[in-house]
Amino acid sequence: MKQVHLAVQLPAIHNVTVWSDPRSESQISIDSFIRLAQAAERGKFDFFFLAEGLRLREHKGEVYDLDVVGRPENLTVLAALAGVTDRLGLAGTVNATFNEPYEVARRLASLDLLSGGRAAWNVVTSYDAFTGENFRRGGFLDEADRYTRAAEFLRTARELWDSWAEGDVVADAAAGQFVRAGAGRFAHHGRHFDIEGRFTTPRGPQGHPVVIQAGESDAGREFAASDADVIFSKYSRLEEARAFYADVKSRLAKYGRTHAQLKILPTATAIVADTDEEAVAYADEITRAQVSPQTAIAHLEGVWGRDLSGYDPDGPLPDVDPEPESLVLKGHSVFRKGREETARRWRKLAEERSLSIRELMIEVHGGQTFVGSPRTVADAIDHFVQSDGADGFVLVPHLTPGGLDDVVDRVVPLLQEKGVFREEYTGTTLRDHLGLGAPTSPVSLTAAASPTSPTSPTSPASPKEAS
């Protein structure tokens, strides 16, 4: 039987977190981060994940305040969590478009050292000049160049990590030598980065932090097969998930990799109650809170590209056509491409099922993955994994910080009872938890450079959030 892998994400953007719920606590306080991370460690989860955007999204020129904003920078938070957890992996999004390899490699190597080998990097790019306005480079790179830069960025970071060999820290007081003579020396001469010097940070316990990626295009899947340790997936329907799983895993052999060397983890929610009926009612309540009337109109405006505030969210879709060149909601990856086709698809769905605006938004953006009693949820998670739909899940609780407690206290024991989930950590590093071997040099990163690939690694309402 396959072992189930579980992680938790504290979402940074999108409408997943119901921050207005009276049971929610601070969305930015370190106490909230600590409580959720410690719950995940109590449940023997693989890792805690923080996504990140690099600009506050705007709606009609103002801050889009229906989502959580103002979260601290994620590697800083993860470094703080390293001091209050012992085994839990610590994963964060770091953008490869508006950062530099030296500083990112140094920060991640530092996190890996300070945490005893628990760091992971979700590699993303930014797609728009809107985010770029916060940076000197601005919107300079077009989409294809962002992918080639990301590929070279990752390759360069790995060269920096490899510039320190295991044992380079000698600390020989008698000889008066602290490090070996060649420690940290590097040189990289490429299209996007031309750097050489000495890297300051010794090799961490994992060698390289775990690399996470997300991409559903052909090029994105190839990138994952060649060079990622974990790929985030958006597929929560079993048949679609199985097809994605089989396709990505089938690509590993050409790179000399086994199925165990890449974990596929979809984003999921788990709504737990005493009975299935109570859970279904609770799930509906949560979904309607996540897709409020205001959120429904804002998301429709994101596709229509026009002010729709005069429309009733409980009424029919607007009879006006979208303005595809107009952006009302900026910085939201859901609405950046294919808006005309999205509008046609939404109209067709609304007409076929007689859906109001809000009902349509709930249909396309809402809904919960696992809903039921603890036994129902545990059985569903296990069945999904044993059926090769995934290797596990990144759970996204709707409440901060207590939204994971029901899963940890009521579902995890049942998975342990089934023999498909660890009762204790058997290793100390995140690579240990995921069953990954030592890092290897990349076979090929050219797949990430495809100008036709949306492998940014970003996709809506999931752990791949980039700004």
Side-chain angles (χ1 to χ4, degrees):
M1 296 176 67
K2 291 169 61 179
Q3 292 294 295
V4 174
H5 292 273
L6 293 177
V8 64
Q9 178 197 356
L10 184 63
I13 55 177
H14 301 300
N15 58 303
V16 177
T17 296
V18 186
W19 54 264
S20 58
D21 190 295
R23 293 166 296 176
S24 284
E25 298 177 22
S26 174
Q27 304 292 317
I28 61 177
S29 165
I30 187 60
D31 291 340
S32 292
F33 294 102
I34 290 172
R35 180 173 164 188
L36 184 60
Q38 290 181 336
E41 186 161 80
R42 188 173 78 250
K44 315 306 176 188
F45 277 41
D46 287 356
F47 61 88
F48 173 95
F49 173 68
L50 288 176
E52 184 167 73
L54 294 179
R55 177 162 180 169
L56 295 182
R57 297 190 296 183
E58 293 183 6
H59 181 225
K60 301 176 185 177
E62 301 294 335
V63 172
Y64 182 64
D65 59 359
L66 295 174
D67 290 347
V68 171
V69 298
R71 287 255 173 87
E73 187 274 331
N74 59 9
L75 289 190
T76 303
V77 175
L78 294 175
L81 294 179
V84 293
T85 56
D86 295 315
R87 292 290 183 267
L88 184 69
L90 303 167
T93 293
V94 182
N95 193 292
T97 302
F98 299 117
N99 285 293
E100 296 298 322
Y102 186 93
E103 63 165 341
V104 170
R106 186 169 185 249
R107 292 164 66 203
L108 286 162
S110 297
L111 179 61
D112 205 51
L113 279 168
L114 292 172
S115 66
R118 297 186 278 142
W121 173 21
N122 180 39
V123 186
V124 305
T125 69
S126 281
Y127 63 86
D128 61 349
F130 173 74
T131 298
E133 292 172 0
N134 279 349
F135 298 86
R136 179 176 59 84
R137 190 179 303 108
F140 172 73
L141 293 177
D142 65 26
E143 194 161 11
D145 285 339
R146 290 179 190 128
Y147 302 141
T148 60
R149 176 185 167 90
E152 188 178 338
F153 194 115
L154 178 56
R155 183 165 61 249
T156 307
R158 283 182 158 148
E159 291 169 6
L160 293 167
W161 294 328
D162 285 340
S163 69
W164 284 76
E166 189 174 347
D168 270 354
V169 178
V170 179
D172 186 340
Q177 181 186 25
F178 195 82
V179 298
R180 290 177 180 162
R185 188 177 297 281
F186 70 90
H188 177 94
H189 306 291
R191 175 185 170 192
H192 292 278
F193 309 107
D194 188 359
I195 57 176
E196 60 180 286
R198 293 272 190 156
F199 189 55
T200 61
T201 313
R203 191 175 181 86
Q206 296 188 111
H208 299 170
V210 168
V211 170
I212 303 171
Q213 186 262 350
E216 58 197 73
S217 69
D218 184 74
R221 298 177 189 209
E222 203 69 21
F223 177 88
S226 69
D227 209 45
D229 300 307
V230 174
I231 180 169
F232 289 144
S233 161
K234 72 172 188 178
Y235 298 104
S236 57
R237 290 186 174 90
L238 183 56
E239 288 310 308
E240 292 177 336
R242 290 184 69 189
F244 178 81
Y245 186 95
D247 179 72
V248 174
K249 295 278 188 172
S250 71
R251 300 170 187 245
L252 290 164
K254 76 174 78 171
Y255 300 105
R257 305 181 70 197
T258 67
H259 282 204
Q261 290 176 295
L262 175 67
K263 303 302 184 213
I264 299 178
L265 304 178
T267 308
T269 58
I271 308 303
V272 182
D274 290 341
T275 68
D276 290 351
E277 293 76 17
E278 290 174 339
V280 169
Y282 185 32
D284 181 68
E285 176 187 329
I286 292 167
T287 299
R288 295 187 70 80
Q290 291 171 333
V291 186
S292 67
Q294 298 94 327
T295 299
I297 292 295
H299 282 196
L300 196 69
E301 289 176 333
V303 170
W304 254 248
R306 58 166 76 225
D307 183 355
L308 301 175
S309 57
Y311 285 83
D312 181 359
D314 293 318
L317 264 64
D319 52 6
V320 297
D321 292 327
E323 295 183 7
E325 301 305 316
S326 172
L327 277 178
V328 172
L329 189 54
K330 293 183 178 181
H332 200 314
S333 60
V334 175
F335 307 114
R336 70 187 182 103
K337 285 185 175 181
R339 288 161 52 207
E340 289 179 284
E341 174 56 32
T342 298
R344 284 193 290 270
R345 190 172 67 251
W346 284 5
R347 277 198 189 281
K348 184 173 184 292
L349 179 61
E351 289 171 2
E352 289 175 349
R353 299 180 55 181
S354 300
L355 300 176
S356 69
I357 292 173
R358 189 181 182 195
E359 288 169 339
L360 176 67
M361 293 302 101
I362 288 173
E363 179 69 22
V364 298
H365 291 310
Q368 311 301 328
T369 313
F370 299 112
V371 179
S373 67
R375 176 64 65 183
T376 296
V377 171
D379 288 347
I381 289 173
D382 184 38
H383 175 68
F384 203 108
V385 171
Q386 304 307 329
S387 300
D388 287 342
D391 293 307
F393 294 94
V394 180
L395 298 179
V396 187
H398 68 284
L399 292 178
T400 301
L404 193 63
D405 292 344
D406 279 341
V407 174
V408 168
D409 297 332
R410 306 182 70 185
V411 176
V412 165
L414 298 177
L415 293 173
Q416 293 168 334
E417 180 184 282
K418 285 172 168 282
V420 298
F421 193 77
R422 67 172 70 90
E423 295 190 11
E424 295 293 340
Y425 289 112
T426 57
T428 60
T429 71
L430 179 53
R431 287 185 176 276
D432 292 335
H433 306 340
L434 292 167
L436 303 172
T440 57
S441 297
V443 177
S444 171
L445 287 172
T446 56
S450 167
T452 61
S453 164
T455 186
S456 99
T458 183
S459 90
S462 72
K464 320 110 167 108
E465 294 159 347
S467 172

